[in-house]
Amino acid sequence: MTDVRAALKQGLALLREAHVPSFTLAAELLLLHVLGRDRTWLYAHPEEQVSSADAEVFFALIARRANGEPTQHLTGKQEFWGLEFEVSPDVLIPRPETEHLIEVALDRLAIGELRAGRKKTLTGEGLQIADIGTGSGCIAIALARELPGATIYATDISTAALAVARRNATRHSVSDRVHFRECNVLHALSDSPLATRHSSLLLDLIASNPPYIGRREAATLMREVRDHEPEVALYGGEEGYELYAGLVTQAAAHLKPGGILVLELGHNSLPAVQPLLDAPTWTNIAVTNDLAGIPRILAAERT
Ligand SMILES: C[S@@+](CC[C@H](N)C(=O)[O-])C[C@H]1O[C@@H](n2cnc3c(N)ncnc32)[C@H](O)[C@@H]1O
C-alpha cells in the first residue's frame, strides 16, 4: 500500500528521469485514470491510500509512458472543444490548435448568416457540411454540437479511424446528423443519395485538417508522434503539403457559391497552399495564426 502523494511523487520522478515532456501532468492524468477520480480530488486527498492493485496498474502505465507511449493512448481519451473524445492508436490525438479551425468555421458561418439578414443565433439550420479526414471525428462532432440544425458528412480513408469516430458521434449524441463515409478526400459524396437526387451534393462548408507533415521531417518528430500515431494521419507526402491541391480542387467542385473552405496548415505549408486558392474561383481568403504565431488556418469563400 502507498498513498496518493507518494505514488504521484514516485511516478513523476520516473517520467522526469525518462525525459517525458510535461511529466507532472502525465503522472497526474495516469493516476486519476487508474483511480477513476478528478484533479480536485487528487489534491484534496494526498493521504488517501492507493491499493496495491491500483499501484501496480499505475506503475505499469508509468513504465509505458516512460517508454514513449502517449498519455492519451494509455487513458484512451483526449479533450477537444470541451468534449471528451475516445482516442486510440488508429486516430490522430486531437490537438489544441485544431480548435482554431472550429472558431474560424463558426465565425465565417455567422458572418454569412448576418449578411443574409438572418437571426443572430447560429443553429446551422439546413447547412450541409463536410469534414475531410475526420480521424477521431473531433471536427465533425464539435461542429455538429455547435450547429444543431446542420448535417455533416465526415470522410476518412482509414476504416479503423472511422470506427472510433462513429463511437465518438454516439457518445456525443450526434450520430443521426453526422454521416461517415470511407473514401479518398470527398469522392464518396458524389455517390450519396442526396447527390444522385440533385446531380451533385453542394456543401455550405468544407473543413479539413489533412495529414501535413513531410516524410523528410520524420526524424525530427517526437517519438510519441512518430512511433505511435498513424502514419496515414501524419504524412502528407515527402514535403507534407501534397494533399492540399486535390483537396482544394474537390472543394471547389463541391461547395455552393458563397460556400466556405477552412483548412488547417502545417507549420510551413502556407507558401505552398495559399497559391492554390486562385481568383476567380476563391475570394475572401484569410489566414489565422495559432497561439505560437504560426499561420495555422487558411479560409476562403467559393465565388
Ligand atoms: C491529421 S489527421 C486529422 C484527424 C482529425 N480531423 C483531427 O483534426 O484531429 C488526418 C486524417 O486524414 C485521413 N486521411 C489521410 N489521407 C486521406 C485521404 N486521401 N482521404 C481521406 N482521409 C484521409 C487520415 O486517416 C487521418 O484520420
Side-chain angles (χ1 to χ4, degrees):
M1 290 278 260
T2 179
D3 66 21
V4 163
R5 184 190 284 122
L8 197 55
K9 201 171 156 204
Q10 196 182 338
L12 67 87
L14 290 165
L15 295 185
R16 185 175 45 216
E17 251 170 61
H19 305 289
V20 168
S22 310
F23 53 84
T24 305
L25 180 64
E28 280 175 11
L29 289 173
L30 293 175
L31 188 57
L32 295 176
H33 173 67
V34 172
L35 299 179
R37 301 284 190 172
D38 64 23
R39 212 141 176 226
T40 328
W41 181 91
L42 190 74
Y43 285 99
H45 299 84
E47 267 118 49
E48 189 90 9
Q49 291 299 297
V50 176
S51 71
S52 310
D54 282 347
E56 196 178 317
V57 176
F58 173 61
F59 286 110
L61 292 180
I62 288 284
R64 288 172 64 187
R65 182 67 195 90
N67 214 20
E69 281 184 66
T71 307
Q72 295 89 338
H73 286 177
L74 301 172
T75 61
K77 59 196 180 210
Q78 171 63 37
E79 195 182 296
F80 178 83
W81 201 253
L83 303 167
E84 188 179 280
F85 285 87
E86 172 191 333
V87 296
S88 79
D90 292 324
V91 298
L92 189 91
I93 298 166
R95 305 294 206 268
E97 54 269 29
T98 304
E99 295 192 354
H100 293 305
L101 184 151
I102 307 289
E103 287 162 2
V104 170
L106 293 175
D107 281 355
R108 289 270 183 150
L109 289 174
I111 290 165
E113 288 293 281
L114 285 176
R115 253 200 241 146
R118 283 193 286 269
K119 54 187 177 292
K120 287 163 193 68
T121 331
L122 188 62
T123 61
E125 204 51 53
L127 292 182
Q128 308 268 7
I129 294 175
D131 167 25
I132 302 173
T134 198
S136 63
C138 61
I139 294 172
I141 292 165
L143 288 173
R145 292 292 299 234
E146 291 294 331
L147 303 166
T151 301
I152 321 248
Y153 298 88
T155 76
D156 207 291
I157 208 163
S158 157
T159 315
L162 285 168
V164 175
R166 284 194 176 96
R167 286 198 292 277
N168 278 321
T170 302
R171 171 191 283 224
H172 293 299
S173 314
V174 292
S175 50
D176 55 334
R177 291 186 296 112
V178 183
H179 306 290
F180 293 99
R181 301 272 190 274
E182 183 176 332
C183 71
N184 185 4
V185 186
L186 270 178
H187 284 296
L189 289 205
S190 317
D191 314 328
S192 83
L194 258 165
T196 10
R197 253 190 290 135
H198 302 294
S199 80
S200 82
L201 173 60
L202 285 181
L203 299 162
D204 299 277
L205 172 81
I206 295 177
S208 185
N209 172 18
Y212 54 58
I213 299 173
R215 283 207 178 261
R216 62 195 189 85
E217 290 178 79
T220 66
L221 297 178
M222 284 166 56
R223 60 183 177 155
E224 284 81 355
V225 177
R226 189 189 51 236
D227 300 343
H228 295 279
E229 296 204 78
E231 289 205 357
V232 67
L234 296 177
Y235 303 114
E238 199 51 28
E239 298 301 323
Y241 48 73
E242 286 87 335
L243 285 176
Y244 288 96
L247 220 154
V248 168
T249 306
Q250 284 205 40
H254 281 90
L255 280 172
K256 288 178 181 165
I260 299 154
L261 174 64
V262 190
L263 298 173
E264 182 166 328
L265 301 173
H267 69 99
N268 55 2
S269 320
L270 185 65
V273 181
Q274 191 156 7
L276 300 171
L277 299 173
D278 282 335
T281 310
W282 300 100
T283 182
N284 275 336
I285 296 158
V287 178
T288 305
N289 287 358
D290 64 18
L291 298 177
I294 295 167
R296 189 57 75 186
I297 308 296
L298 183 60
E301 190 179 315
R302 179 76 170 91
T303 47

